[in-house]
PDB file of all heavy atoms in Angstrom:
ATOM      1  N   THR G 272     -68.052  54.487  26.504  1.00  0.00           N
ATOM      2  CA  THR G 272     -68.145  54.370  25.044  1.00  0.00           C
ATOM      3  C   THR G 272     -68.687  55.674  24.479  1.00  0.00           C
ATOM      4  O   THR G 272     -69.715  56.171  24.922  1.00  0.00           O
ATOM      5  CB  THR G 272     -69.063  53.200  24.640  1.00  0.00           C
ATOM      6  OG1 THR G 272     -68.522  51.984  25.156  1.00  0.00           O
ATOM      7  CG2 THR G 272     -69.197  53.104  23.123  1.00  0.00           C
ATOM      8  N   LEU G 273     -67.962  56.229  23.511  1.00  0.00           N
ATOM      9  CA  LEU G 273     -68.418  57.441  22.843  1.00  0.00           C
ATOM     10  C   LEU G 273     -69.239  57.095  21.608  1.00  0.00           C
ATOM     11  O   LEU G 273     -70.318  57.625  21.397  1.00  0.00           O
ATOM     12  CB  LEU G 273     -67.228  58.316  22.438  1.00  0.00           C
ATOM     13  CG  LEU G 273     -66.359  58.833  23.581  1.00  0.00           C
ATOM     14  CD1 LEU G 273     -65.168  59.593  23.022  1.00  0.00           C
ATOM     15  CD2 LEU G 273     -67.165  59.698  24.527  1.00  0.00           C
ATOM     16  N   ILE G 274     -68.689  56.214  20.765  1.00  0.00           N
ATOM     17  CA  ILE G 274     -69.369  55.850  19.519  1.00  0.00           C
ATOM     18  C   ILE G 274     -69.229  54.341  19.311  1.00  0.00           C
ATOM     19  O   ILE G 274     -68.121  53.808  19.290  1.00  0.00           O
ATOM     20  CB  ILE G 274     -68.771  56.590  18.304  1.00  0.00           C
ATOM     21  CG1 ILE G 274     -68.804  58.103  18.518  1.00  0.00           C
ATOM     22  CG2 ILE G 274     -69.515  56.212  17.031  1.00  0.00           C
ATOM     23  CD1 ILE G 274     -68.030  58.890  17.471  1.00  0.00           C
ATOM     24  N   PHE G 275     -70.355  53.647  19.154  1.00  0.00           N
ATOM     25  CA  PHE G 275     -70.379  52.226  18.829  1.00  0.00           C
ATOM     26  C   PHE G 275     -70.669  52.123  17.340  1.00  0.00           C
ATOM     27  O   PHE G 275     -71.580  52.764  16.835  1.00  0.00           O
ATOM     28  CB  PHE G 275     -71.453  51.520  19.649  1.00  0.00           C
ATOM     29  CG  PHE G 275     -71.629  50.073  19.315  1.00  0.00           C
ATOM     30  CD1 PHE G 275     -70.599  49.170  19.528  1.00  0.00           C
ATOM     31  CD2 PHE G 275     -72.815  49.604  18.788  1.00  0.00           C
ATOM     32  CE1 PHE G 275     -70.754  47.827  19.222  1.00  0.00           C
ATOM     33  CE2 PHE G 275     -72.984  48.264  18.476  1.00  0.00           C
ATOM     34  CZ  PHE G 275     -71.945  47.379  18.703  1.00  0.00           C
ATOM     35  N   GLU G 281     -65.267  58.889  11.344  1.00  0.00           N
ATOM     36  CA  GLU G 281     -65.117  59.037  12.800  1.00  0.00           C
ATOM     37  C   GLU G 281     -63.917  58.244  13.310  1.00  0.00           C
ATOM     38  O   GLU G 281     -63.175  58.710  14.181  1.00  0.00           O
ATOM     39  CB  GLU G 281     -66.398  58.602  13.514  1.00  0.00           C
ATOM     40  CG  GLU G 281     -67.537  59.580  13.319  1.00  0.00           C
ATOM     41  CD  GLU G 281     -68.900  59.038  13.734  1.00  0.00           C
ATOM     42  OE1 GLU G 281     -69.110  57.799  13.664  1.00  0.00           O
ATOM     43  OE2 GLU G 281     -69.746  59.853  14.114  1.00  0.00           O
ATOM     44  N   LYS G 341     -71.644  66.557  19.071  1.00  0.00           N
ATOM     45  CA  LYS G 341     -72.167  65.456  19.878  1.00  0.00           C
ATOM     46  C   LYS G 341     -71.172  64.298  19.770  1.00  0.00           C
ATOM     47  O   LYS G 341     -71.244  63.480  18.873  1.00  0.00           O
ATOM     48  CB  LYS G 341     -73.538  65.036  19.382  1.00  0.00           C
ATOM     49  CG  LYS G 341     -74.189  63.993  20.245  1.00  0.00           C
ATOM     50  CD  LYS G 341     -75.639  63.848  19.877  1.00  0.00           C
ATOM     51  CE  LYS G 341     -76.344  62.723  20.561  1.00  0.00           C
ATOM     52  NZ  LYS G 341     -76.049  62.452  21.916  1.00  0.00           N
ATOM     53  N   ILE G 342     -70.227  64.261  20.714  1.00  0.00           N
ATOM     54  CA  ILE G 342     -69.168  63.262  20.619  1.00  0.00           C
ATOM     55  C   ILE G 342     -69.572  61.900  21.148  1.00  0.00           C
ATOM     56  O   ILE G 342     -68.843  60.939  20.991  1.00  0.00           O
ATOM     57  CB  ILE G 342     -67.883  63.719  21.338  1.00  0.00           C
ATOM     58  CG1 ILE G 342     -68.143  63.921  22.819  1.00  0.00           C
ATOM     59  CG2 ILE G 342     -67.306  64.941  20.679  1.00  0.00           C
ATOM     60  CD1 ILE G 342     -66.886  64.025  23.641  1.00  0.00           C
ATOM     61  N   CYS G 343     -70.713  61.810  21.797  1.00  0.00           N
ATOM     62  CA  CYS G 343     -71.168  60.528  22.328  1.00  0.00           C
ATOM     63  C   CYS G 343     -72.521  60.214  21.706  1.00  0.00           C
ATOM     64  O   CYS G 343     -73.439  61.023  21.769  1.00  0.00           O
ATOM     65  CB  CYS G 343     -71.267  60.586  23.847  1.00  0.00           C
ATOM     66  SG  CYS G 343     -71.716  59.005  24.583  1.00  0.00           S
ATOM     67  N   THR G 344     -72.645  59.042  21.112  1.00  0.00           N
ATOM     68  CA  THR G 344     -73.894  58.669  20.465  1.00  0.00           C
ATOM     69  C   THR G 344     -74.918  58.107  21.453  1.00  0.00           C
ATOM     70  O   THR G 344     -76.068  57.917  21.083  1.00  0.00           O
ATOM     71  CB  THR G 344     -73.651  57.666  19.322  1.00  0.00           C
ATOM     72  OG1 THR G 344     -72.953  56.532  19.838  1.00  0.00           O
ATOM     73  CG2 THR G 344     -72.851  58.302  18.203  1.00  0.00           C
ATOM     74  N   ASN G 345     -74.519  57.855  22.697  1.00  0.00           N
ATOM     75  CA  ASN G 345     -75.485  57.434  23.708  1.00  0.00           C
ATOM     76  C   ASN G 345     -76.284  58.657  24.156  1.00  0.00           C
ATOM     77  O   ASN G 345     -75.726  59.738  24.308  1.00  0.00           O
ATOM     78  CB  ASN G 345     -74.778  56.825  24.924  1.00  0.00           C
ATOM     79  CG  ASN G 345     -74.139  55.494  24.607  1.00  0.00           C
ATOM     80  OD1 ASN G 345     -74.724  54.681  23.900  1.00  0.00           O
ATOM     81  ND2 ASN G 345     -72.949  55.269  25.106  1.00  0.00           N
ATOM     82  N   ALA G 346     -77.572  58.481  24.390  1.00  0.00           N
ATOM     83  CA  ALA G 346     -78.414  59.589  24.847  1.00  0.00           C
ATOM     84  C   ALA G 346     -77.877  60.156  26.156  1.00  0.00           C
ATOM     85  O   ALA G 346     -77.893  61.368  26.371  1.00  0.00           O
ATOM     86  CB  ALA G 346     -79.854  59.124  25.025  1.00  0.00           C
ATOM     87  N   ILE G 347     -77.400  59.284  27.029  1.00  0.00           N
ATOM     88  CA  ILE G 347     -76.793  59.697  28.297  1.00  0.00           C
ATOM     89  C   ILE G 347     -75.403  59.063  28.361  1.00  0.00           C
ATOM     90  O   ILE G 347     -75.274  57.848  28.562  1.00  0.00           O
ATOM     91  CB  ILE G 347     -77.638  59.250  29.511  1.00  0.00           C
ATOM     92  CG1 ILE G 347     -79.044  59.862  29.424  1.00  0.00           C
ATOM     93  CG2 ILE G 347     -76.949  59.639  30.820  1.00  0.00           C
ATOM     94  CD1 ILE G 347     -80.017  59.347  30.456  1.00  0.00           C
ATOM     95  N   ASN G 364     -77.813  51.933  28.974  1.00  0.00           N
ATOM     96  CA  ASN G 364     -78.547  52.963  28.232  1.00  0.00           C
ATOM     97  C   ASN G 364     -80.025  52.974  28.620  1.00  0.00           C
ATOM     98  O   ASN G 364     -80.598  54.027  28.910  1.00  0.00           O
ATOM     99  CB  ASN G 364     -78.402  52.753  26.722  1.00  0.00           C
ATOM    100  CG  ASN G 364     -77.002  53.015  26.241  1.00  0.00           C
ATOM    101  OD1 ASN G 364     -76.496  54.113  26.378  1.00  0.00           O
ATOM    102  ND2 ASN G 364     -76.361  52.004  25.686  1.00  0.00           N
TER     103      ASN G 364
END
Side-chain angles (χ1 to χ4, degrees):
T272 299
L273 298 176
I274 304 171
F275 176 64
E281 288 167 331
K341 185 168 173 39
I342 62 165
C343 184
T344 56
N345 291 319
I347 300 172
N364 292 299

